[in-house]
Amino acid sequence: MLAYAVKRLLLALLVAIAVSVLSFMLLRISGDVATAIAGESATSADIEQVREMYGLNRPLIVQYGDWALGALRGDFGESFYFKTPVTSVIRTHIAVTVILGACGLGFALVLSIPLGVLAALRPNTWLDRLALTISVLGQALPTFWFALMMIIFFGVMLRWLPITGSSTWKHFVMPSVALGYYATPAIMRLTRTGMLDVMSSDYIRTARAKGLRTGAVLFKHALRNAIIPVVSLSAVQLGFMLGGSVVIETIFALHGLGFLAWESITRSDVAVVQAIVLILACFYIVLTLLADLLNAYLDPRIRVA
Amino acid sequence: MNAAETVLAVERLDVEIPLATGVLHPVRDVSFSVKRGETLCLVGESGCGKSLTALSIMDLLPSRAQRRADRLEFAGANLLGARERRMADIRGNQLAMVFQEPMTSLNPAYTIGNQMTEVLLRHRRVSAGEARERAIYLLEKVGITAAESRLRQYPHQLSGGLRQRIMIAMGLMCGPELIICDEPTTALDVTIQAQILSLLAGLQREFHMGMILITHDLGIVARVAQRVAVMYAGQIVETGCVDEVFAAPLHPYTQGLLQCIPIPGKTPRGEHLGSIPGMVPSLMGTLRGCGFRERCPYAFADCAQDVPLVELGPGRGYRCRLTPEQTGANAAGAQVWT
Amino acid sequence: MLADKAALEEQVLEPSPGQLLLRRTFGHHGVTIGATVLLAIILMAVLAPVLAPHDPYHQDLTRRMIGPFWHAKHSAAHLLGTDNLGRDFLSRLIYGSRISLAIGFSAMLMSGIIGSLLGITAGYFGGRVDMAITFFITMRLSLPVILVALAVVALVGGSLTVVILVLGSLLWDRFAVVLRSATQQARNMDYVAAAQAAGCSTPRILFSEILPNVLNQLIVVATLEMAHAILLEAALSFLGLGVQPPLPSWGLMVAEGKTFMFFDPWLITMPGLALFMLVLAINLLGDGVRDVTAPENRN
């Protein structure tokens, strides 16, 4: 078990390094950074000056090495726009994204797991079909449109929820729903399939033959086994949510990493964008690593080999 | 308490399963009884309805299946129409069942100790510690050494034989009055089989339980049972004491089985084994008459009509139109099954 | 004699696997609905010049913000109203289908080729090749796709071509993952061993033995990724870093209508609905293909 964990950790580290190289190179070579920083009205002399100032005329490898070493120390350089360390800029924005991601996943789980379980208990009934229909419709909804529709309906027409900002928990309701619903179909279907499989297994028959109550059979015995793949999927979905929150954050004016990234992109603040891409990639890597370890922990067959 | 008290009485049990292609009748007009301290073997080939009979007593049939009976009494209580809550109180408690797939019948996510103690904790007001002690006691009773450390182990860490013993021990946790074992040794090695059978016989004597042992192996019947009920195509075709039935089988199917299957200790050496020609009939749709008539060498026109159960005495009966004299003569006569 | 004839008839009348597949396909509701709607939208895109009542780019500032026909302030000349620059909304919606379909299809094709090549190679050759490709896939999976797409488009400049190229080079992951495992399964089949024993060249095996057997899963992923590409382009255009105005991308139309959405919600509901229907049709089709070609259905 330990060897497995160490191996996975090393692999995760390698992926993180590879991603950092990729994002670094991608941003530097897909356009001239100096020109982007200098702005539209800059002369070639201005651009040269910018290049000098930020060391953009050095070979790419050197630039990367410089940046990477700094990143290991937690120093991602200086924001071209804010003129303050990238780390401090990110620190003020990271909490919102993490909260949003967690709430989004929370919403998805609260909706899809019960639905999946119910659908599995009553296969091919109206309930099952309803769950599958919700799932199909959910996957076709464009996130930004769904968010805007919710704003019009709940924010303006019904006036139940605030539209922008992040000061109270109410501010996170619509954004969480908008972010989380996209994961719902996959999680619901996996729960349903898992439960269907498990409910027809022999150990469930044994549990019933022991006279255990329905609740114990369902939750203690069935769901406990069916939920294992759902844990992995949830971790991956959370990773996607954290990386894909830019649209939601922009619409709801939530000042998280996605919002910061988008603003930095429009301002050509490459240093910030790079750092955010790396951080979000690391989130995903850590989450999948956690998912693997959790998987191994939940299934004694893997844990106690 | 009368030592020979009846613990289970089943009369005219029917099971119907509606399918897309028609209605299946896997269990038809089944009647038998079991006393405390007695082992009844339900014997028959695969698909004859033995397991479904057991499941219908436990009310663990698949949801599509429908069960009907004139009488289904357990320990003096009527089980027909008993609600799920009541059945759940009885299952694992006074009425236990052990299944035939030890490899998949235990939950891989929980320890043995957890799965064993949960039965007792469910049905009795005991502490966790007391439940653990009972589990250890029973594990030792079924011949498992180092019982305490076994409690902490997971099913996948144990062999099939060990798991089957644990299943039996688990069934005994609440001291049931009747235990149903569905082919408990089929999935195990022959050497382990013998051990498990001795174990079951011993436990049954010690705890004075009623036991229904479902099997397709006549050798097991000879070893373990006091009484036997032979099933064919969903019906019981013969019942009686094991000695009686083996010595003087009345139903042609039973006769065929005994002639065609070698039974260690009973079949004389050097005897030529025969075979019963034909196949088991389909159990779909409305069935009339004797299910065995297509394969029976003595069948005649009247066999196409429903055959009533002929009772020769308490617990001794058979379902055939031939008289005991006729079948007795057939059995003693020349080899019909070749 | 009669018995023989009956047996022969039974043989002749039994449908072939191909016929069974067709029968299942047309009997499947998801497939028929999805395919019909998709075909309708494709037809609409192809016949746009004929169907659209106006030029989608023509601005008429004197006829701004006219509502759709159910609105109080409507006009017969503009069935679905006009936007803030006086352009006919219906025409823009119709032409918008061209953009979504073009991007969806092209990006799917490009990412499909990349992903399939990677996946099949990894699945067939195994070993180090597999390790390297899997590493590459993991890398791609950990990237926040929309941010990378936004960043690249911002630096290079937004246009239809750029969006297609960016999406095509980013959306290949699912192709690779699914085809890798499908190839691994197909590779273990006896017919591959037979082809290898017969001395067939590797490209030949990949093409004639492996590919036909992973084709159904490939089609399912292709539909899902096409839908994915369409939604992503809409999101990019919505954020201003996708297709550029004045192109009538549905995502862009939502962005343009956002400023007025509290008073004239139709400006955002209708393009969004169009997106929803197109993606739904594609997803239904994909799910349907998966159901119909599932191995359980093969006898």
Side-chain angles (χ1 to χ4, degrees):
Chain A
M1 172 71 179
L2 190 64
Y4 177 71
V6 168
K7 200 173 109 172
R8 280 291 281 114
L9 210 71
L10 279 171
L11 201 67
L13 209 64
L14 268 163
V15 176
I17 294 174
V19 170
S20 70
V21 173
L22 185 72
S23 65
F24 187 90
M25 300 297 171
L26 204 64
L27 291 174
R28 306 269 157 166
I29 62 181
S30 47
D32 190 11
V33 179
T35 319
I37 296 175
E40 288 174 348
S41 50
T43 63
S44 47
D46 295 331
I47 298 177
E48 267 316 300
Q49 208 176 23
V50 168
R51 230 188 278 276
E52 279 283 336
M53 210 162 65
Y54 289 104
L56 295 167
N57 45 3
R58 297 172 297 166
L60 272 177
I61 312 286
V62 177
Q63 290 187 46
Y64 172 74
D66 209 25
W67 179 79
L69 284 172
L72 284 173
R73 290 195 310 266
D75 173 18
F76 287 101
E78 195 184 80
S79 155
F80 300 150
Y81 179 81
F82 291 105
K83 306 286 186 267
T84 57
V86 170
T87 339
S88 62
V89 177
I90 288 182
R91 204 178 297 143
T92 53
H93 288 76
I94 199 169
V96 170
T97 301
V98 172
I99 295 175
L100 183 59
C103 293
L105 183 66
F107 167 72
L109 289 175
V110 163
L111 186 61
S112 26
I113 293 183
L115 255 180
V117 171
L118 279 170
L121 291 178
R122 309 247 180 280
N124 299 321
T125 55
W126 65 268
L127 189 64
D128 190 13
R129 280 189 231 281
L130 178 70
L132 287 174
T133 310
I134 292 179
S135 146
V136 166
L137 292 180
Q139 270 188 317
L141 268 179
T143 316
F144 61 91
W145 187 62
F146 183 44
L148 290 174
M149 293 284 108
M150 275 204 290
I151 288 180
I152 293 180
F153 196 65
F154 293 107
V156 179
M157 282 170 43
L158 293 176
R159 296 192 154 263
W160 283 351
L161 296 165
I163 307 175
T164 60
S166 54
S167 31
T168 69
W169 66 269
K170 281 199 196 171
H171 286 95
F172 280 88
V173 173
M174 284 199 289
S176 306
V177 172
L179 189 61
Y181 86 92
Y182 208 71
T184 310
I187 297 179
M188 194 221 76
R189 276 201 290 242
L190 192 60
T191 310
R192 178 182 177 274
T193 319
M195 280 298 283
L196 276 175
D197 274 344
V198 166
M199 288 303 284
S200 60
S201 62
D202 289 338
Y203 56 83
I204 294 298
R205 184 183 56 181
T206 307
R208 295 189 63 207
K210 293 199 290 197
L212 297 178
R213 283 190 241 268
T214 324
V217 175
L218 261 184
F219 294 107
K220 182 178 171 191
H221 285 267
L223 196 58
R224 169 70 173 74
N225 283 292
I227 211 78
I228 297 177
V230 177
V231 167
S232 295
L233 183 64
S234 303
V236 167
Q237 290 290 345
L238 180 58
F240 290 155
M241 281 187 224
L242 291 171
S245 60
V246 53
V247 173
I248 304 283
E249 288 180 16
T250 325
I251 292 179
F252 290 99
L254 292 166
H255 292 236
L257 286 180
F259 179 77
L260 178 63
W262 184 67
E263 289 209 319
S264 305
I265 287 170
T266 49
R267 296 193 283 244
S268 301
D269 197 347
V270 177
V272 174
V273 179
Q274 239 166 256
I276 294 179
V277 168
L278 183 60
I279 289 175
L280 289 174
C282 287
F283 274 165
Y284 178 86
I285 293 170
V286 167
L287 281 168
T288 43
L289 191 66
L290 266 170
D292 271 354
L293 295 176
L294 219 78
N295 227 1
Y297 173 75
L298 284 173
D299 191 345
R301 288 172 287 196
I302 304 178
R303 173 172 30 128
V304 193
Chain B
M1 193 183 298
N2 188 352
E5 161 196 319
T6 302
V7 72
L8 178 70
V10 180
E11 256 172 54
R12 313 210 63 176
L13 174 67
D14 281 303
V15 174
E16 274 182 12
I17 305 181
L19 298 175
T21 37
V23 181
L24 198 65
H25 298 269
V27 177
R28 296 178 290 143
D29 197 11
V30 164
S31 307
F32 61 87
S33 63
V34 186
K35 292 192 180 53
R36 290 209 111 195
E38 166 185 84
T39 302
L40 169 74
C41 253
L42 209 52
V43 71
E45 54 196 275
S46 315
C48 71
K50 326 184 283 290
S51 296
L52 280 174
T53 305
L55 287 174
S56 54
I57 296 172
M58 302 278 288
D59 201 13
L60 284 178
L61 290 168
S63 47
R64 292 166 306 172
Q66 281 151 12
R67 162 186 91 168
R68 222 183 334 110
D70 278 359
R71 189 169 162 230
L72 184 61
E73 256 178 47
F74 171 71
N78 182 13
L79 291 187
L80 291 170
R83 316 198 73 160
E84 177 60 24
R85 286 199 75 153
R86 224 160 133 256
M87 283 307 301
D89 284 338
I90 296 175
R91 284 188 218 122
N93 194 355
Q94 295 110 336
L95 177 60
M97 186 157 174
V98 174
F99 298 97
Q100 65 175 302
E101 303 94 350
M103 298 308 274
T104 49
S105 292
L106 288 167
N107 193 327
Y110 295 105
T111 60
I112 303 296
N114 187 318
Q115 297 187 56
M116 284 187 74
T117 51
E118 79 176 332
V119 198
L120 195 57
L121 291 169
R122 156 71 175 101
H123 294 291
R124 302 270 190 277
R125 301 182 83 98
V126 296
S127 70
E130 287 168 332
R132 279 200 72 212
E133 284 187 19
R134 172 104 178 134
I136 293 173
Y137 166 70
L138 284 171
L139 284 178
E140 284 167 356
K141 264 273 174 282
V142 297
I144 294 181
T145 53
E148 207 170 328
S149 59
R150 295 291 183 201
L151 289 185
R152 283 192 298 271
Q153 288 189 302
Y154 288 90
H156 69 274
Q157 297 174 290
L158 306 165
S159 70
L162 267 178
R163 287 191 223 187
Q164 193 62 302
R165 288 173 196 260
I166 288 169
M167 293 287 292
I168 294 171
M170 205 160 66
L172 297 172
M173 282 297 281
C174 298
E177 299 183 31
L178 176 69
I179 188 165
I180 304 176
C181 300
D182 188 355
E183 310 230 29
T185 57
T186 307
L188 302 173
D189 288 336
V190 180
T191 42
I192 313 282
Q193 274 189 27
Q195 292 173 14
I196 301 285
L197 287 174
S198 300
L199 177 65
L200 279 172
L203 286 170
Q204 193 232 339
R205 274 193 304 270
E206 185 175 337
F207 292 108
H208 201 58
M209 304 177 292
M211 182 155 78
I212 298 178
L213 189 60
I214 298 174
T215 180
H216 60 270
D217 187 341
L218 285 176
I220 293 181
V221 180
R223 276 191 63 153
V224 173
Q226 287 87 45
R227 296 187 49 244
V228 63
V230 181
M231 275 189 84
Y232 183 80
Q235 287 182 311
I236 295 198
V237 297
E238 185 159 358
T239 54
C241 297
V242 170
D243 294 328
E244 258 187 308
V245 174
F246 274 43
L250 291 171
H251 193 279
Y253 178 61
T254 322
Q255 292 168 355
L257 279 183
L258 288 167
Q259 276 185 358
C260 304
I261 299 173
I263 301 161
K266 291 231 189 294
T267 314
R269 273 177 153 254
E271 206 170 281
H272 177 69
L273 288 174
S275 66
I276 307 177
M279 276 188 358
V280 182
S282 162
L283 296 168
M284 290 284 258
T286 18
L287 305 144
R288 307 215 62 161
C290 175
F292 191 61
R293 65 182 185 279
E294 306 286 315
R295 310 166 73 182
C296 181
Y298 316 112
F300 53 99
D302 274 356
C303 295
Q305 303 301 314
D306 281 340
V307 184
L309 195 66
V310 177
E311 292 211 19
L312 296 180
R316 182 79 173 103
Y318 70 114
R319 194 186 287 270
C320 184
R321 292 205 178 271
L322 297 173
T323 65
E325 296 74 36
Q326 286 172 313
T327 63
N330 289 333
Q335 283 262 44
V336 193
W337 313 93
T338 42
Chain C
M1 269 298 292
L2 269 167
D4 293 339
K5 183 160 175 272
L8 206 72
E9 272 181 22
E10 229 185 80
Q11 267 184 327
V12 169
L13 289 174
E14 196 177 278
S16 69
Q19 284 180 314
L20 280 172
L21 180 66
L22 278 174
R23 208 179 287 174
R24 272 203 315 270
T25 312
F26 287 110
H28 191 285
H29 292 303
V31 171
T32 42
I33 296 178
T36 317
V37 174
L38 182 60
L39 261 142
I41 297 181
I42 292 176
L43 235 89
M44 181 171 80
V46 166
L47 295 174
V50 174
L51 289 170
H54 299 266
D55 176 1
Y57 299 100
H58 174 74
Q59 299 178 12
D60 187 350
L61 294 167
T62 60
R63 308 175 77 138
R64 308 170 62 233
M65 306 298 284
I66 299 178
F69 62 87
W70 63 81
H71 218 249
K73 188 178 107 178
H74 64 267
S75 155
H78 300 278
L79 270 176
L80 291 180
T82 62
D83 65 2
N84 60 318
L85 292 178
R87 298 176 291 197
D88 179 43
F89 215 62
L90 177 60
S91 309
R92 283 181 71 77
L93 276 178
I94 293 177
Y95 271 87
S97 65
R98 289 188 158 190
I99 296 178
S100 289
L101 285 169
I103 290 183
F105 200 69
S106 321
M108 177 263 280
L109 214 61
M110 182 173 163
S111 59
I113 293 175
I114 298 175
S116 307
L117 280 171
L118 284 173
I120 293 180
T121 314
Y124 188 76
F125 292 105
R128 297 208 177 190
V129 173
D130 185 16
M131 264 171 40
I133 294 182
T134 309
F135 183 79
F136 197 44
I137 297 175
T138 316
M139 237 174 63
R140 169 32 271 273
L141 281 174
S142 50
L143 284 177
V145 175
I146 193 167
L147 287 184
V148 172
L150 283 170
V152 173
V153 172
L155 285 169
V156 176
S159 77
L160 194 64
T161 327
V162 169
V163 171
I164 291 177
L165 287 173
V166 168
L167 291 180
S169 43
L170 282 172
L171 292 180
W172 50 264
D173 54 292
R174 198 187 292 207
F175 282 105
V177 168
V178 170
L179 281 174
R180 174 177 171 273
S181 76
T183 306
Q184 280 173 338
Q185 284 175 356
R187 195 186 179 294
N188 293 330
M189 295 280 149
D190 290 334
Y191 49 80
V192 173
Q196 284 172 330
C200 289
S201 67
T202 310
R204 169 99 183 252
I205 295 182
L206 286 175
F207 201 72
S208 357
E209 308 290 343
I210 303 270
L211 190 60
N213 287 288
V214 301
L215 202 60
N216 63 319
Q217 297 195 48
L218 177 57
I219 293 177
V220 174
V221 178
T223 54
L224 294 178
E225 288 304 315
M226 181 170 169
H228 193 190
I230 291 174
L231 285 176
L232 260 179
E233 176 272 319
L236 288 174
S237 304
F238 173 76
L239 290 174
L241 286 172
V243 161
Q244 296 300 307
L247 258 66
S249 151
W250 288 335
L252 199 53
M253 288 167 73
V254 175
E256 287 164 352
K258 183 169 158 243
T259 344
F260 313 96
M261 74 179 194
F262 296 126
F263 301 105
D264 304 296
W266 83 85
L267 285 172
I268 63 169
T269 48
M270 288 199 283
L273 255 168
L275 274 167
F276 175 64
M277 289 209 302
L278 176 57
V279 173
L280 185 62
I282 298 175
N283 280 345
L284 281 173
L285 191 58
D287 282 349
V289 170
R290 185 202 292 131
D291 286 344
V292 162
T293 61
E296 305 91 63
N297 292 333
R298 298 203 192 124
N299 5 17

